Amino acid sequence: MTVFTTKSWMFDQDCDRMGMNRALRSGALVRLRRGVVMPAEDLPVWQLHRRRMDAAALTINHGTYFAFQSAALLHGLPVRIVEALPVQVVRTLGGRHTRNRLLQATPAVLDDADIAIVDGLPATGLHRTVTDLARRLPFPDAVAVVDAALRRGLDRHGLATPSGYGHARAARAVAFGDGASESFGESHSRARMALANIPIPQLQVEQFTADGRFLGRPDFDWGDGIIGEYDGGSKYDGTYGDEPRTVIEAEKLRQQAFMDEGYTVIRWGWKELQSPGVVEGRIRRALAGRPFRRAQL
């Protein structure tokens, strides 16, 4: 990572502050924190956030720890990082809540068990980060974090917060969490089903043909031969080392095998989840005529 202080960048470029501001406005230069800039790169939003964290770490004081979504990024928890999100820290040595475009600081009381050094940076520990996010995030995003925590072996009862800010919101997400969920999109889908009062399916249930041949393990299973699959983008972009064309062909054959056995297969992706009612309507049509069971939140 090539970063510069604003003074060194202006010196190297032989320009004044007005020239630097023009570079910032044009997008040729990116401000990481006050006094630190870097040349623009084509980076995913989460990587740019991480670089801003590295820059912030150069000046944060003792008793200050990365927290909330910033800490979640360090711990590898599934959270949405948007470009407008400032680096988030908590301060344990006093002060008040402050926020600007690049940094948000919140006063907090942390025990030794609440802190950790993660990838070389001071942060709230995994358990504290999960409970903080469960208190603050919308239900689908909180469920994704809780699912990931349960998948990594954290105790459900230990994640419950009996009192304090957002404790009811956190309790709902923790009670609904399921470590069998394998991705942010699957968790988000399941939470959306609950909010829409759609019957909650079982997760990752192995399916077999009538003669005992293994068919697969779909993401969602409502029984009666109705299954659902969330198509994450990484499945088809080579992230897991397979050629996209090979993955697509294998997925087509897998779906056809289910359909040959009489299954109803419902598919959707992240883009469809962003359109209110699209996925919910698709599932409801497939489940039409089945007994209704209200989702438990």
Side-chain angles (χ1 to χ4, degrees), residues 1 33 49-58 66 119 121:
M1 176 176 67
R33 66 168 174 83
H49 188 88
R50 177 57 202 271
R51 292 197 178 187
R52 285 181 168 142
M53 291 173 62
D54 289 333
L58 299 174
F66 293 103
D119 203 11
L121 297 179

Side-chain angles (χ1 to χ4, degrees), residues 46 49-50 53-54 65-77 79 81 88 116-124 126 129 152:
W46 67 267
H49 188 88
R50 177 57 202 271
M53 291 173 62
D54 289 333
Y65 302 89
F66 293 103
F68 311 125
Q69 283 99 317
S70 294
L73 190 59
L74 291 175
H75 287 291
L77 292 169
V79 291
I81 304 292
Q88 298 169 309
I117 301 298
V118 187
D119 203 11
L121 297 179
T124 52
L126 178 60
T129 301
R152 289 164 67 164

Side-chain angles (χ1 to χ4, degrees), residues 180 182 204-207 214-219 229 254 258:
E182 295 182 343
Q204 317 298 337
V205 177
E206 293 185 344
Q207 307 291 327
F214 178 68
L215 277 172
R217 194 167 53 90
D219 298 329
E229 291 277 64
R254 180 172 176 268
F258 277 114

